[in-house]
């Protein structure tokens, strides 16, 4: 047995090197552009602002001139305050306007508010009739306005930079995989076969690049050997009756090594990379509405028979999660029947139609209906993608396949949430759903050109979920503990706090959907940065219960942050911090919960082990369905900040309980050993 | 392989390009102008009191702007109501597609009061639109406020809603008590005061009434105006409101001057008391909008053959706010800035 022609690790190093280099260059270029544009922004903005204050003052001045010309004495001018305040509503950079008489005494002001000493007063506009100056208007420009606007724009540029980086990363990964790593991997597999003397397969896809020419050269060698064997076989067939048996055996052996084989070699089948782009686009489309869906539902609210207000506005999210939870196990059976490519495409139909119709929805009933259709699409598509990955990856690379799936989901969450927020801000909610429908179409397009389908599903023969499996899980106290005080609280916090209450809270304080999207994005950024390192750390330390408990405690504490800082300046930043901490907490506890689940399932053992895990996955979704409903109901009583705090308190309590029980069990286990 | 990836790249760049494009370009859909249609010409007969003035001109230009091909036949009675029967006879002879009647007197004179059946004296078989009629229901021209229920008559409601009147008064100054002077002999005045009281109560405003003394023959005499004004001034209303009354319109100068004399600002929802008298504040339908809304009714009848009897009677939504500045200055009731911003000022 010879060595493999090319080490796969070396290939990976090459592609990651390329990606890191590209990302570094892009970051440098984008940061430069961002810095320069901000510089010019600051230079341009300040004088414009001062000029604008002058324009506003002259607009007000001309109205006062008209009053004076009509014969009203300056000191008898009535209703200056509401009049000036109404104009200033559209000009947030102006703090206050005062009307002063010729001696400089203030007669009227737009508000009672005191002006900070560092504000600059512009006093250029005089009022009066026929050239006689009766008084002057004084305008105070807010001192922090330019800085505040700049900070907002910096945040947006940063977000777009980040999203551009991640998009580039996604595209590069796919391209490098398709152009370089996958062809080389296939070639190296066939060459390794050749080294052992097997020349039965051709390399598919002779492209015109270097690798393609290399593959073509290899194919020529294979074909030549195969042709030589064919000629030999023909000659031998004439000899056969007289040939000694040893020679026949030799020919037999040669035939196994050199006879052309039409069925492609296992190693040359479709790669996981093929599904990555369509999957990313699909998740991106579904995530675009993340930052504003609850607000959209609230705005469309109208009474539905038999449903309370809180339940109704939570329903577009809760029903969606519920349907995904119950449909996902059922969709598994469909993957076996249709094959993953067709199922993926089938799933994109309800997704695209659902998003398109959501864009046209004008009442809450329609919104709920089309979100439900979307849920069907989500269940079908994700199952199809998982099935494809499981098949393309094979047993050996299953972990890598799952990592690609998770990466697509989290990266799309990051990009979709932030870009969706900005789109909704500029175009409105309806148009953002239209964009999402268009992205779905693009995903289908990428799928059609990228994904080749062969054979039946890998899950076809898999274990079907039975009702009894739920019983197994529910009757087991160890599963009960894990579900009730670890999995459900985690899921509940994700949907209740992150996906439901955050948009509503920030909207109620007056933040735009751009800011909401950026705040929610922090969670996904932290998940991307911390997810894999934390999971590895947990694996190395091996104390999953410690990690799971610590994650719950941290998540609970982090969720209590917004309520204690309500009303403070830069509230969105504090919410973002809380989001990030929840991200760290979830990176700590979600993989560890999975590991504990596998351990507990091993104790169940037997042929129902996998089914028990599936049942558990369905049951933990109870938390995600309850999240928005609970958050909406609590918010009606306590407001959003306190609702999040209460959810945090609940998670904290679960975390304490989980840690205490784990410690007791550990001690109990230790004493039993003793 | 190569081709597939290139296509993918193109698709992704297209998506990003489209997203950017959406972000950059603001939606701007041009409104398409109405195309004039090559249709039959309509004959519209317009009967006016003193020639085609602003309302009548606005009516005509509305129809022409909407692209209708119309020939107008204009007749004026030159302020002489005795000439109305001549016009009725001419309409019956010419058989125009539409008859337009200007003002209450001509409208009543040409199409008759509600309930008029086939008659020699009135036009009952040619569609008609009344123009510039302040109170068609009160004048007995129509059966219902929301539609005429007359086979050949339609029109528009040009009255300013009471709520809008009260809101304007409140934005001008604080109003707790409204005064109203009227004669109990005029039924439309009595009805208007009742409607005012109902509307005012919803704003938490009290209505103070002062009736004019009846004259020897029943209707009050002009001399009764000044004493009534002094009497209501003693009850200290914040502002006076003019209700529909022929007597007060006939004596509009004496009536409005007496209000100023008594130190009371006067509000009116008609144009006359502020243009010819000394009312301080008025909210009324502009002459052009009165013409246009009648034109809208005529358009539906001419273009779509709408049934005048069931054509909904539209109401105006935009009105002119006018301040009589000399009176406001004399009474020292200076208008606040927000009202000044939207008001027209009279020197």
């Amino acid at each position: 047995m010879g060595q493999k022609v090319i080490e796969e690790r070396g290939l990976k190093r090459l592609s990651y090197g390329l990606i890191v280099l590209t990302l570094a260059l892009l970051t440098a270029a984008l940061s430069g552009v961002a810095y320069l544009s901000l510089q010019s922004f600051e230079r341009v903005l300040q004088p414009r602002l001062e000029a604008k204050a002058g324009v506003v003052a002259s607009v007000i001045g001309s109205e006062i001139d008209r009053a004076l010309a009509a014969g009203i004495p300056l000191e008898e001018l009535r209703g200056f305050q509401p009049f000036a305040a109404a104009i200033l509503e559209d000009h947030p950079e102006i703090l206050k306007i005062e009307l002063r008489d010729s001696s400089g005494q203030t007669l009227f002001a737009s508000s009672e508010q005191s002006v900070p000493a560092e504000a600059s007063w512009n006093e250029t506009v005089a009022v009066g009739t026929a050239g006689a100056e009766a008084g002057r208007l004084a305008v105070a420009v807010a001192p922090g306005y330019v800085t505040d606007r700049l900070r907002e724009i910096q945040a947006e540029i940063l977000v777009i930079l980040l999203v551009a980086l991640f998009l580039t990363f996604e595209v590069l990964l796919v391209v490098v995989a398709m152009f370089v790593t996958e062809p080389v991997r296939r070639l190296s597999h066939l060459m390794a076969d050749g080294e052992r003397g097997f020349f039965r397969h051709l390399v598919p896809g002779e492209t015109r690049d270097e690798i393609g020419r290399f593959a073509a050269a290899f194919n020529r060698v294979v074909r030549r050997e195969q042709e030589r064997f064919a000629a030999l076989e023909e000659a031998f067939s004439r000899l056969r009756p007289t040939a000694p048996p040893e020679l026949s055996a030799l020919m037999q052996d040669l035939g196994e090594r050199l006879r052309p084989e039409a069925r492609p070699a296992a190693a040359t089948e479709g790669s996981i990379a093929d599904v990555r782009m369509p999957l990313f686009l699909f998740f991106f489309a579904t995530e675009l509405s993340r930052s504003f869906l609850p607000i959209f539902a609230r705005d469309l609210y109208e009474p539905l028979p038999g449903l309370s207000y809180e339940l109704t506005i939570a329903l577009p999210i809760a029903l969606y999660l519920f349907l995904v939870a119950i449909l996902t196990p059922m969709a598994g059976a469909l993957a076996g029947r249709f094959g993953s490519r067709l199922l993926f495409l089938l799933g994109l139909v309800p997704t695209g139609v659902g998003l398109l119709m959501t864009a046209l929805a004008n009442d809450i009933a329609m919104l709920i209906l089309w979100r439900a259709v979307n849920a069907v699409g989500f269940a079908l598509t994700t199952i199809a993608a998982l099935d494809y990955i499981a098949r393309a990856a094979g047993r050996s690379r299953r972990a890598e396949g799952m990592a690609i799936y998770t990466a697509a989901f989290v990266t799309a969450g990051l990009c979709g949430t932030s870009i969706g927020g900005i789109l909704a801000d500029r175009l409105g909610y309806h148009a953002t759903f239209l964009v999402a429908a268009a992205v779905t179409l693009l995903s289908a397009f990428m799928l059609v050109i990228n994904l080749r389908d062969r054979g039946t599903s890998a899950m076809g023969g898999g274990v079907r979920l039975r009702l009894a499996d739920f019983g197994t899980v529910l009757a087991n106290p160890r599963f009960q503990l894990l579900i009730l005080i670890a999995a459900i609280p985690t899921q509940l916090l994700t949907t209740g706090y992150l996906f439901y209450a955050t948009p509503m809270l920030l909207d109620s304080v007056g933040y735009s959907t751009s800011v909401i999207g950026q705040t929610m994005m922090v969670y996904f950024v932290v998940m991307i940065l911390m997810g894999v390192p934390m999971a590895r750390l947990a694996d190395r330390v091996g104390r999953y219960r410690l990690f799971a408990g610590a994650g719950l405690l941290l998540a609970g504490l982090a969720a209590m942050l917004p309520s204690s800082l309500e009303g403070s300046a830069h509230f969105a930043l504090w919410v973002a911090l809380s989001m990030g901490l929840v991200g760290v907490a979830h990176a700590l506890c979600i993989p560890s919960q999975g590991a504990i689940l596998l351990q507990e399932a091993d104790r169940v053992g037997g042929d129902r082990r996998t089914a028990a895990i599936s049942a558990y996955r369905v049951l933990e979704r109870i938390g995600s369905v309850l999240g928005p409903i609970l958050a909406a109901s609590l918010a009606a009583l306590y407001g959003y900040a306190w609702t999040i705090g209460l959810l945090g308190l609940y998670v904290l309590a679960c975390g304490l309980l989980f840690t205490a029980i784990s410690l007791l069990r550990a001690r109990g286990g230790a004493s039993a050993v003793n | 392989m190569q081709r597939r990836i290139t296509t993918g790249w193109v698709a992704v760049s297209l998506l990003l390009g489209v997203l950017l494009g959406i972000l950059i370009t603001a939606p701007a859909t041009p409104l398409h102008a109405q195309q004039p249609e090559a249709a039959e010409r309509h004959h519209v007969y317009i009967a006016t009191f003193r020639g085609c003035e602003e309302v009548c001109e606005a009516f005509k230009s509305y129809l022409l702007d909407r692209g209708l091909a119309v020939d107008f036949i204009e007749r004026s009675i030159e302020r002489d109501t005795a000439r109305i029967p001549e016009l009725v006879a001419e309409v019956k002879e010419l058989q125009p597609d539409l008859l337009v009647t200007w003002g209450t007197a001509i409208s009543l004179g040409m199409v008759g009061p509600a309930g008029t059946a086939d008659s020699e004296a009135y036009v009952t078989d040619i569609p008609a639109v009344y123009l510039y009629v302040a109170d068609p229901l009160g004048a007995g021209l129509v059966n219902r406020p929301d539609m005429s229920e007359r086979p050949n008559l339609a029109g528009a409601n040009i009255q300013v809603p009471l709520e809008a009147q009260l809101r304007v008064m409140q934005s001008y100054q604080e109003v707790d008590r409204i005064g109203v002077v009227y004669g109990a002999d005029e039924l439309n005045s009595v009805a208007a005061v009742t409607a005012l009281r109902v509307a005012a109560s919803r704003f938490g405003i009290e209505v103070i009434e002062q009736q004019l003394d009846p004259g020897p023959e029943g209707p009050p005499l002009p001399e009764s105006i000044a004493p009534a004004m002094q009497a209501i001034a003693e009850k200290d209303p914040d502002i006076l409101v003019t209700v529909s009354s022929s007597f007060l319109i006939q004596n509009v100068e004496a009536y409005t001057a007496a209000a100023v004399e008594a130190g009371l600002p006067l509000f009116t929802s008609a144009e006359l008391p502020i243009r010819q008298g000394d009312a301080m504040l008025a909210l009324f339908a502009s002459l052009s909008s009165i013409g246009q809304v009648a034109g809208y009714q005529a358009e539906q009848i001419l273009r779509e053959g709408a049934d005048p009897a069931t054509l909904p009677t539209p109401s105006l939504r935009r009105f002119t706010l006018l301040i009589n500045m000399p009176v406001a200055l004399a009474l020292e009731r200076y208008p606040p800035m927000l009202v000044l911003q939207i008001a027209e000022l009279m020197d």
Side-chain angles (χ1 to χ4, degrees):
Chain A
M1 288 286 276
Q3 261 192 325
K4 272 193 183 175
V5 180
I6 302 175
E7 278 287 338
E8 295 217 357
R9 193 175 294 169
L11 261 181
K12 263 191 195 142
R13 207 173 295 143
L14 168 73
S15 60
Y16 279 113
L18 263 176
I19 286 164
V20 167
L21 187 67
T22 318
L23 288 185
L25 281 173
L26 253 174
T27 314
L30 286 175
S31 311
V33 170
Y35 178 75
L36 288 178
S37 61
L38 282 182
Q39 288 276 304
S40 57
F41 185 73
E42 191 157 23
R43 247 196 338 268
V44 165
L45 190 66
Q46 193 58 47
R48 292 266 166 97
L49 262 188
E50 276 159 22
K52 188 180 155 206
V55 171
V56 171
S58 60
V59 166
I60 295 179
S62 68
E63 288 293 328
I64 292 173
D65 285 347
R66 186 161 171 256
L68 297 180
I72 302 172
L74 187 67
E75 56 278 4
E76 297 286 349
L77 219 55
R78 294 174 50 223
F80 178 86
Q81 190 272 326
F83 161 72
I87 289 180
L88 291 198
E89 237 168 54
D90 298 331
H91 306 285
E93 78 280 8
I94 299 178
L95 270 187
K96 192 175 186 177
I97 292 192
E98 291 185 359
L99 179 58
R100 298 174 180 167
D101 64 13
S102 43
S103 67
Q105 194 70 34
T106 300
L107 296 174
F108 306 104
S110 60
S111 66
E112 298 289 313
Q113 172 189 3
S114 62
V115 173
E118 64 269 28
S120 58
W121 284 94
N122 173 326
E123 221 182 301
T124 51
V125 174
V127 294
T129 48
E133 180 178 324
R136 275 183 177 273
L137 279 168
V139 184
V141 178
Y145 186 75
V146 176
T147 340
D148 286 351
R149 282 301 299 157
L150 273 179
R151 201 169 290 147
E152 274 169 42
I153 288 169
Q154 272 167 340
E156 272 190 18
I157 289 181
L158 196 73
V159 165
I160 290 173
L161 203 147
L162 249 177
V163 170
L165 281 182
F166 278 105
L167 276 177
T168 315
F169 188 72
E170 278 299 311
V171 173
L172 273 179
L173 271 184
V174 171
V175 168
V176 167
M178 281 183 165
F179 272 134
V180 186
T181 39
E182 280 304 318
V184 171
R185 188 179 62 82
R186 285 185 202 131
L187 204 56
S188 77
H189 270 285
L190 293 184
M191 284 185 146
D193 283 351
E195 227 178 2
R196 286 187 286 117
F198 287 88
F199 288 97
R200 302 190 63 172
H201 297 284
L202 294 175
V203 184
E206 293 180 14
T207 50
R208 270 174 297 169
D209 54 18
E210 277 70 13
I211 294 174
R213 282 203 287 272
F214 189 25
F218 178 78
N219 283 349
R220 278 199 297 277
V221 172
V222 173
R223 266 192 223 103
R224 198 186 61 209
E225 295 307 315
Q226 289 176 349
E227 278 159 16
R228 279 180 181 168
F229 172 73
L232 181 65
E233 203 175 26
E234 205 192 308
F236 179 72
S237 66
R238 272 179 263 123
L239 287 175
R240 189 187 288 271
T242 57
E246 296 93 323
L247 203 55
S248 291
L250 203 61
M251 277 310 287
Q252 185 79 20
D253 179 49
L254 259 181
E256 271 162 26
R257 289 166 182 271
L258 293 173
R259 191 170 293 124
E261 167 73 68
R263 199 170 46 82
T268 63
E269 288 205 9
S271 73
I272 318 170
D274 293 342
V275 82
R276 186 164 182 145
M277 204 61 192
L279 189 63
F280 170 79
L281 287 173
F282 164 76
F283 282 137
F284 182 74
T286 57
E287 293 288 324
L288 273 177
S289 57
R290 176 76 78 206
S291 61
F292 62 84
L293 187 60
I295 307 169
F296 187 54
R298 184 200 60 198
D299 290 354
L300 286 182
Y301 174 77
E302 56 200 65
L304 291 181
L307 294 176
S308 69
Y309 172 77
E310 293 78 31
L311 187 62
T312 310
I313 59 170
L315 215 50
I317 294 178
L319 181 67
Y320 180 91
L321 293 166
F322 175 74
L323 285 175
V324 169
I326 60 163
L327 288 177
T328 305
M330 294 184 199
L334 293 176
R337 191 174 310 160
F338 294 111
S340 45
R341 180 171 182 267
L342 187 59
L343 190 68
F344 200 132
L345 275 175
L346 281 179
L348 289 177
V349 174
T351 306
V353 171
L355 288 169
L356 181 70
M357 296 310 291
T358 309
L360 307 175
N362 279 318
D363 58 60
I364 187 98
M366 282 294 118
L367 178 66
I368 294 171
L369 173 72
W370 293 115
R371 289 299 296 166
V373 171
N374 265 354
V376 175
F378 190 88
L380 294 179
T381 308
T382 47
I383 280 297
L386 284 171
D387 182 64
Y388 181 88
I389 288 172
R391 226 151 21 80
R395 273 208 174 275
S396 54
R397 293 165 70 205
R398 186 150 292 180
E400 190 191 333
M402 273 315 294
I404 283 186
Y405 178 86
T406 314
F409 176 69
V410 181
T411 314
L414 184 156
C415 299
T417 310
S418 53
I419 293 287
I422 294 174
L423 281 175
D425 224 9
R426 305 271 153 97
L427 302 180
Y429 303 144
H430 293 279
T432 307
F433 278 108
L434 277 185
V435 173
V439 175
T440 313
L441 206 63
L442 191 61
S443 164
F445 177 65
M446 294 293 284
L447 192 70
V448 169
I449 60 169
N450 272 350
L451 214 60
R452 287 156 294 167
D453 211 19
R454 56 193 74 75
T456 48
S457 166
M459 290 187 173
V463 188
R464 255 334 123 69
L465 200 51
R466 288 196 227 120
L467 267 182
D469 297 317
F470 291 101
T472 316
V473 174
L474 287 174
N476 182 326
R478 286 174 174 277
F479 275 125
Q480 283 171 8
L481 180 74
L482 194 59
I483 285 188
L484 281 179
I485 61 175
I488 288 185
T490 305
Q491 299 278 333
L492 196 139
L493 196 70
T494 309
T495 60
Y497 171 26
L498 303 183
F499 299 159
Y500 185 83
T502 306
M504 298 296 256
L505 171 70
L506 291 176
D507 180 69
S508 71
V509 189
Y511 284 105
S512 66
T513 48
S514 293
V515 178
I516 297 174
Q518 288 156 23
T519 310
M520 294 170 81
M521 186 184 80
V522 173
Y523 173 76
F524 292 106
V525 174
V526 171
M527 285 296 269
I528 289 178
L529 296 180
M530 309 278 280
V532 175
M534 281 291 187
R536 286 212 183 117
L537 187 66
D539 281 339
R540 192 159 347 130
V541 178
R543 305 192 58 176
Y544 297 121
R545 285 176 193 282
L546 182 76
F547 275 79
L552 284 170
L553 293 176
L554 179 62
L557 288 173
M560 290 161 83
L561 205 59
S563 59
S564 50
L565 289 159
E566 206 181 359
S568 62
H570 308 302
F571 184 54
L573 281 182
W574 291 111
V575 176
L577 175 67
S578 159
M579 271 298 108
L581 288 175
V582 174
V584 174
H586 280 183
L588 273 174
C589 72
I590 291 179
S592 297
Q593 283 179 18
I596 300 170
L597 171 65
L598 291 181
Q599 289 175 353
E600 303 292 7
D602 283 340
R603 286 173 197 261
V604 174
D607 60 336
R608 303 315 293 170
R609 178 182 174 279
T610 323
I613 294 176
S614 301
Y616 171 92
R617 290 290 179 205
V618 173
L619 287 171
E620 73 173 356
R621 301 277 179 94
I622 293 173
S624 60
V625 175
L626 279 181
I629 298 175
L630 195 64
S633 312
L634 286 174
L637 300 172
Y638 307 109
Y640 287 102
W642 282 101
T643 295
I644 296 168
L646 287 173
L647 293 181
L649 196 64
Y650 163 68
V651 173
L652 188 68
C654 287
L656 286 172
L657 200 62
F658 183 86
T659 314
I661 294 176
S662 299
L663 286 176
L664 281 177
R665 279 219 180 126
R667 190 168 301 164
S671 57
V673 170
N674 292 339
Chain B
M1 185 75 162
Q2 183 111 34
R3 197 178 52 77
R4 280 198 290 131
I5 291 186
T6 320
T7 333
W9 269 105
V10 169
V12 170
S13 337
L14 270 180
L15 166 78
L16 294 176
V18 167
L19 281 179
L20 269 180
I22 293 171
L23 285 176
I24 291 164
T25 51
T29 331
L31 285 169
H32 293 286
Q34 285 277 325
Q35 294 294 317
E37 59 211 81
E40 84 240 67
R41 298 195 74 80
H42 304 285
H43 298 278
V44 174
Y45 187 105
I46 306 182
T48 61
F49 195 68
R50 43 185 164 87
C52 194
E53 42 59 78
E54 216 179 324
V55 174
C56 160
E57 286 296 347
F59 171 83
K60 281 161 60 182
S61 25
Y62 177 86
L63 287 187
L64 296 176
D65 288 348
R66 298 291 295 171
L68 282 161
V70 187
D71 290 325
F72 294 104
I73 308 159
E74 293 173 37
R75 297 289 182 267
S76 165
I77 61 167
E78 299 302 332
R79 300 169 192 262
D80 181 3
T81 48
R83 293 174 61 180
I84 292 177
E86 286 171 32
L87 268 51
V88 172
E90 191 184 28
V91 168
K92 289 189 179 231
E93 188 195 321
L94 291 177
Q95 290 287 320
D97 299 307
L98 183 73
L99 166 66
V100 178
T101 57
W102 190 99
T104 313
I106 296 180
S107 301
L108 274 176
M110 292 194 75
V111 299
T116 304
D118 257 355
S119 160
E120 274 300 303
Y122 300 115
V123 177
T124 52
D125 52 355
I126 293 167
V129 167
Y130 57 82
L131 189 62
Y132 207 2
V133 174
D135 185 5
L137 190 65
L141 203 54
V142 298
N143 290 315
R144 285 167 52 165
D146 54 340
M147 60 178 75
S148 77
E149 279 194 341
R150 293 190 61 177
N152 71 325
L153 186 65
N157 180 13
I158 57 171
Q159 282 167 318
V160 184
L162 277 171
E163 286 70 25
Q165 300 183 25
L166 291 164
R167 230 174 285 130
V168 158
M169 284 183 255
Q170 276 188 329
S171 59
Y172 193 95
Q173 60 174 70
E174 213 166 286
V175 178
D176 295 320
R177 294 139 68 81
I178 287 179
V180 57
V181 174
Y182 67 103
D185 61 311
E186 286 190 76
L187 288 181
N188 53 334
S189 301
V190 177
V193 170
T194 309
L196 177 66
R197 206 183 298 116
V198 172
S201 71
R202 263 182 265 134
F203 284 70
I205 296 174
E206 185 190 348
V207 177
I208 300 165
E209 299 169 27
Q210 178 64 51
Q211 293 184 359
L212 295 157
D213 280 338
E217 289 163 31
L221 297 173
E223 295 80 61
S224 65
I225 293 175
M229 217 41 108
Q230 289 304 328
I232 200 164
E234 277 164 29
K235 296 178 195 161
D236 198 23
D238 298 305
I239 193 166
L240 285 186
V241 175
T242 311
V243 292
S244 149
S245 156
S246 324
F247 171 74
L248 291 177
I249 287 300
Q250 276 155 24
N251 299 286
V252 70
E253 280 167 36
Y255 164 63
T256 55
V260 175
E261 186 70 20
L264 290 175
L266 185 64
F267 170 86
T268 168
S269 60
E271 204 171 345
L272 197 74
I274 194 163
R275 295 273 188 210
Q276 287 184 15
D278 292 326
M280 184 188 79
L281 183 65
L283 183 70
F284 54 88
S286 73
L287 299 176
S288 58
S289 66
I290 293 173
Q292 283 159 6
V293 73
Y296 171 71
Q297 295 293 82
E299 181 191 5
Q300 292 179 81
I301 295 170
L302 291 176
R303 199 195 289 275
E304 281 140 37
D307 177 16
T310 54
L311 195 57
T313 306
S315 291
L316 286 177
R317 292 177 197 286
R318 300 179 71 94
F319 303 100
T320 302
L321 181 62
L322 186 62
I323 302 172
N324 191 337
M325 277 316 291
V327 174
L329 295 177
L331 293 173
E332 292 188 1
R333 304 275 187 147
Y334 305 114
M337 293 297 296
L338 283 172
V339 173
L340 264 179
Q341 231 184 333
I342 52 168
E344 277 179 32
L345 303 182
M346 255 172 79
D347 299 325

